[in-house]
Amino acid sequence: MTIGKRIANLRKQKSLTQPMLADAMNVSQSTIASWESDRRSVSNDDLIKLSDYFGVTTDYLLGKNGTPKWANEKDTKDLQDFLEANEGSMTYGGEDLTEEEKQQVRVAMATIFWKRHKHD
């Protein structure tokens, strides 16, 4: 998934329109549209602002999920299906996890999954 698709997904999860996100980021709506379609790169400063705004890591936005090169499409789909099936029940101490905490769980689970299923 590209950075643009990640931004669009996060925006939609918060039920925001492009103009609403543009206002929050202090950029134009066309900038948001360009980011989401990957026609324009996100500056480092804006990457940090997006990370803070959505409560996710910059690594998440950049797609640094640690997927190994040997992983095939089925491996990736299996992990994605597992994470999606369990995302709604991610709580700790009876409280729902934040998006950043969920992302940290995803990274930890991916690390365990890839280590367990390593193809030598």
Side-chain angles (χ1 to χ4, degrees):
M1 181 182 305
T2 67
I3 187 171
K5 290 195 185 307
R6 288 181 192 276
I7 293 168
N9 285 343
L10 289 167
R11 177 180 58 76
K12 290 172 187 173
Q13 285 174 11
K14 286 194 169 235
S15 300
L16 298 171
T17 62
Q18 287 183 345
M20 292 165 73
L21 180 56
D23 286 343
M25 293 294 299
N26 199 30
V27 298
S28 68
Q29 185 271 329
S30 64
T31 296
I32 300 296
S34 294
W35 288 346
E36 290 185 0
S37 64
D38 294 305
R39 290 181 308 213
R40 182 175 177 179
S41 297
V42 180
S43 72
N44 288 342
D45 288 342
D46 287 329
L47 184 69
I48 292 167
K49 287 179 189 176
L50 285 164
S51 170
D52 290 342
Y53 183 77
F54 287 119
V56 298
T57 64
T58 54
D59 277 353
Y60 172 76
L61 289 170
L62 293 170
K64 296 190 174 231
N65 61 5
T67 303
K69 291 180 181 174
W70 54 259
N72 62 36
E73 190 172 325
K74 183 182 180 324
D75 294 330
T76 304
K77 179 85 171 100
D78 287 348
L79 176 59
Q80 185 65 34
D81 289 347
F82 174 80
L83 292 173
E84 286 176 5
N86 292 286
E87 185 170 302
S89 60
M90 286 190 192
T91 62
Y92 183 78
E95 294 183 27
D96 289 337
L97 300 181
T98 65
E99 282 305 311
E100 184 172 11
E101 291 167 335
K102 286 180 183 181
Q103 179 55 26
Q104 290 170 349
V105 170
R106 287 183 204 106
V107 169
M109 293 300 296
T111 301
I112 293 166
F113 181 86
W114 295 133
K115 186 174 184 178
R116 182 169 187 242
H117 292 55
K118 184 176 182 181
H119 297 109
D120 292 322

